[in-house]
Amino acid sequence: MLISLDWLKQYVDIKENIKELDNALTMIGQEVEAIDIQGKDLERVVIGEIVEYDRHPNSDRLTLLKVNVGEAEPIQIVCGAPNHKLGDKVVVARIGAVLPGNFKIKKSKIRDVESFGMLCSEVELGLGENGDGIIILPQDAPVGEEYRKYAGLDDVIFELEITPNRPDCLSHIGIAREIAAYYGRKVKYPVANFTETIESTTKFAKVNIEDKERCKRYMGRVITNVKVGESPEWLKKRIRAMGMHPINNIVDITNFVMFEYNQPMHAFDLDKVKNGSVVVRAAKPGEKIITLDGVERELNNEELVIADEERPIAIAGIIGGVESEITAETKNIFLEVAYFEPSNIRKTARRLGIITESSYRNERGMDIEGIEEASERAVALIAEIAGGEVLDGAIDRYIEKPKKCEIPLSFEKLNKFVGKELPEDVVGKILSNLGFGIKTLSQDTLVVIPPVYRGDLTRTADIYEEIIRMYGFDNIEAIMPVEDIRAGVREASVELADDARKIIREVGLQEVVNYSFIPSNVVDILNIKDPVIPISNPLSEDMAILRPTLIWSLLANIRDNINRNQFDLRLAEVSRVFTPADELANEELRICIGLAGRPERTLWNPKPESYDFYTIKGYVEKVMEYLGVTKYRLSRTENPNFHPGRSAEISIGNEVVGVFGEIHPDVQEKMDIKRERVYIAELDLAKLDKYRKKTIKYERIVKYPEVTRDLAIVLDRDVLVGDMVESIKKISSLIEKVDIFDVYEGDKIDSGKKSVAISIVLRDKEKTLDEKQINDVVEKVLNMIAKEYKGEIRK
C-alpha cells in the first residue's frame, strides 16, 4: 500500500520528520517497506521563461534560445522541440542536474553553438509518456522556482506492508486514524458539500439485489449532465502518487476516494444501462462479458455480477465492463458503492486471474457502515470537478447490518498480560483515541466496543494488543520474570497415558498413532447410537467427525496391513476419544488392542497357531495386571460389533470399564477385512485409573511351600467357568491361585457337558500345610461346585 505524506497531512497534523514517522508507523504495526522521496532526481531543474527566440544558424530544425532562470543574465540553450515560442514558461534542467536514468546535464556544443542546459519533456523528467514536445507551463509559473516544488513533486511516498486482517489501513484516512491515535491528535475528515436537484434518483435508476448472501449492501446515486474530461492537476498528482495513470475526471475521482476511504466504487454510463435497471445477481453459466482490460471472459454461477435487464455490465467488486464504461461522450452516470462477500471476491479474482485495486480491497472486507460517507464524498467531487447535477436521494439496499462486538477488559488481567501496571486513564485515552466505545462494567472491568471497520477485534487478547502497540513496546521495561525453579508435577492424564504406552511395549504390542478425525460412515459400520461431533469444515470426507471410539482406527490399520501381506498383527493405540458436551467436547483416554493373523514362523515355532479369543484375553489381563487393577470381573456381552459368544465386557463393581473379543463378521465385511479373524479390546483408562493400586507394597518371600491340587470337573456346557473360578477363590484364605488348564468336550463325556481341569494352589504363610487342611479346602471346593454349579468330579 502506497501512502503519500503530502496527502496524509490533509487528514492529520504531522510534525515529525520522515525518520520519526517511519519508526512510529513500524511500532504501531504498519511496517514501512520502502520510502520514496519524490523529486530527488529533479535537483537544479527550475522554471524558466523564453526571452529570446532565434533559429539555429547551422540547423533548420533547432532553435537558439535565451532563457531567464531567475538570475542576472539569461542562459543560452539549444532546443530541438517543435512546440515552444517566445514568452513561454518552460522547465529547464541546468548544468549539474542529473535526470532519471542517470542522464547528466553538461555544457555542450550543438552544431558549433554552445548550450548551457536543456528544456525538458515529461519523458525526460520521468513524469509521463509524452515525449513529443517540452513541458509548457502556465504564464503565472514563477521564474527561477524549483520545478519539483511548483509541481508538487517534493512528496514522500511510504510503501507499507498491511497485514490481511487490517483492510481499514488500505487508505489514507485509515493510516491517518492510526497516526492520530498514536500521537493523540484529531483526524480531519473531508466534508462533502453538494446540492441535490428536485428530481429523484429512483426516476432514472432502480436497484435489485437477487443474491442477498453475497451482497449485504448496495448504494447507488445518479449524477446527470457531467462533463467528462481531464482531471485537474491536484487530482492527477494524487493518482500518480498511487502508481496509477490518470484516465478522466470521473474515473480518477472514484480511484481517489478508494485510496482516501478504502471504499472501492464504480461509475457506470447510465445511458448504457438498459432502462436504468441495476441487478446484483449470480452470473449465468456460459454468460460472457468484455472487461475494461479488453478481455472477453466466460462466467459461471460462482461469479457475482452487476447486470442490467439484458447482460452483465461488471464483475462485482472486481472490474467493470467496456459496454458501460465512462467515455468522453458520457453525460449521465450511476455511481455504485457496495459491500460484497469477501470470500466470493477472492475466489472469483483467482479463478478469472484478475487482481485489481478494487478486488484487493473487497476480498479483505470493507467498512459496510462507511459506504454512505464514501459515496457522498465521491458525489461532491464529481459535482465540483465535472459540473454534474446530483439527483435527490440515494438508492440504499441494506440487507444485513453488522452486530457490534462487546469485549470485556479487566485492568488486573491487562496489567498481568503486559507485565506492567498501566494507569487506567492512559488505557481509557488509548481506547478513546482508537475510536472505541467504552462502557464501565465494574470498578476493574470495562466493556470495549470496537468500530465496525475494525472487524479484526473479537476477543480480549485483541484489545490487549491494541493498547500495547499504542502505548509503545519501547515503553514497557524489560524485566526478567520471577520463575519457580522447582520441579513441576506432570498432569495425571499425561502420566496415565505414558504408563499405558510403556505397558503395551512391555507386553509385546506395537504402538500405532492415528488421526482423531474419521469418516462419518463409521457411525453405521460400528453401530454407534450416541451422538458424535461433526467437523464443521472437514479437509475431506475421511475426516468428517471426531472419533468416539478407537476401534475403527485399529480395524483400518489391520485391514491395510493384511492388504500388504502382513499377517502377524499385534497393534495397540493409546489416545483420546470425543463425545458431545454442552460447551466443549468430553475427552476420554482409552487404550485399544488389535490382533489378527498368527505369530511369525520360526525354528522354535514351525507351526504357529492363529490368535484367538484367549490371546486377546491374555493381553487384556496383562494390561490390567501392569496397571495395578486386580479386582475386576469378566462377563459375556451382547455387543453388535463383536461375535456372539466370543466377547466379554470388563466390569469393576457396577461400572463397565472395557470390552474385548472377536469382531463380528458383518463389521469385518463392512471394513473389507478378509481371510483373517480380528480381535479387539478397548479399555477406558480414565475409569481404570480410579481402581489402580497407586503404591506398590513389597511382601517378604514366604518360606513355606505351596501345594497344588488338580481337579477335573464335569459341568453343563452353558456354565460360566469364570464365575465358578471366582467363587472358588472366596472359599478359603489358603487358596493362593486358581487356574484353568484344560477344557474338554467330546464323546468321552455325556452330551451337553464339558470337562474343566482346574489347578488350585494352596499355601499358608505361617506354617506348612498338613494333609487335613488341604483335604478340608478341597472338600469345600467340591461341595460348592456341586451345590452352585451342579458339577461333579470326572471319573
Side-chain angles (χ1 to χ4, degrees), residues 55 90 136 194 273 284 291 309 328 370 395 423 428 455 486 518 719 725 770 784:
R55 288 291 172 185
V90 291
I136 305 299
F194 57 90
V273 179
K284 298 172 184 177
T291 50
E309 293 179 352
I395 301 173
R486 291 176 298 176
I518 60 175
V719 171
V725 169
D770 58 33
M784 183 274 296

Side-chain angles (χ1 to χ4, degrees), residues 5-45:
L5 179 59
D6 184 56
W7 192 351
L8 194 63
K9 287 179 178 179
Q10 293 193 1
Y11 311 114
V12 62
D13 292 330
I14 297 177
K15 307 165 188 175
E16 291 69 27
N17 60 37
I18 296 173
K19 186 176 181 180
E20 291 170 334
L21 190 58
D22 176 10
N23 181 67
L25 286 168
T26 301
M27 291 302 292
I28 59 178
Q30 315 305 335
E31 184 179 353
V32 179
E33 289 198 323
I35 298 175
D36 178 23
I37 301 175
Q38 288 190 330
K40 61 180 180 293
D41 293 330
L42 300 181
E43 290 185 8
R44 296 190 62 77
V45 177

Side-chain angles (χ1 to χ4, degrees), residues 597-771:
R598 66 202 62 81
E600 291 184 0
R601 185 172 62 182
T602 64
L603 179 64
W604 300 273
N605 189 17
K607 294 182 179 181
E609 295 184 359
S610 297
Y611 298 123
D612 58 16
F613 173 83
Y614 294 103
T615 314
I616 191 74
K617 176 175 178 287
Y619 276 113
V620 168
E621 289 174 337
K622 271 295 181 187
V623 169
M624 299 292 275
E625 178 187 341
Y626 279 41
L627 282 172
V629 180
T630 55
K631 296 182 179 180
Y632 59 89
R633 178 168 47 87
L634 304 181
S635 57
R636 287 182 180 178
T637 181
E638 297 298 326
N639 190 311
N641 294 323
F642 291 92
H643 197 296
R646 300 177 190 170
S647 59
E649 65 181 16
I650 310 163
S651 303
I652 301 176
N654 295 323
E655 188 170 32
V656 177
V657 296
V659 64
F660 68 91
E662 181 182 334
I663 290 297
H664 198 288
D666 291 346
V667 175
Q668 283 199 209
E669 184 178 350
K670 292 176 183 176
M671 290 293 298
D672 196 27
I673 299 177
K674 303 172 183 176
R675 294 181 284 176
E676 299 292 337
R677 292 182 176 182
V678 179
Y679 301 88
I680 293 287
E682 186 174 35
L683 311 178
D684 190 322
L685 286 174
K687 290 179 179 178
L688 288 172
D689 192 48
K690 297 185 295 185
Y691 304 105
R692 294 176 65 190
K693 288 183 178 179
K694 301 296 175 65
T695 56
I696 299 175
K697 294 182 180 180
Y698 293 91
E699 296 181 357
R700 62 184 176 84
I701 297 175
V702 180
K703 62 183 179 180
Y704 301 102
E706 64 181 35
V707 176
T708 302
R709 290 291 184 266
D710 294 338
L711 303 175
I713 308 296
V714 178
L715 301 163
D716 289 339
R717 189 173 292 171
D718 59 355
V719 171
L720 299 178
V721 179
D723 292 345
M724 186 181 74
V725 169
E726 293 300 317
S727 299
I728 292 173
K729 290 178 180 178
K730 297 175 183 177
I731 287 176
S732 172
S733 61
L734 297 178
I735 297 176
E736 190 173 82
K737 186 166 66 170
V738 181
D739 285 329
I740 299 170
F741 61 89
D742 185 46
V743 177
Y744 172 76
E745 296 179 19
D747 55 2
K748 294 184 180 180
I749 59 174
D750 295 340
S751 175
K753 299 287 186 177
K754 61 184 175 183
S755 174
V756 180
I758 303 173
S759 176
I760 301 175
V761 177
L762 306 169
R763 192 199 304 266
D764 189 333
K765 297 179 181 180
E766 303 298 331
K767 60 182 177 20
T768 302
L769 289 171
D770 58 33
E771 197 65 28

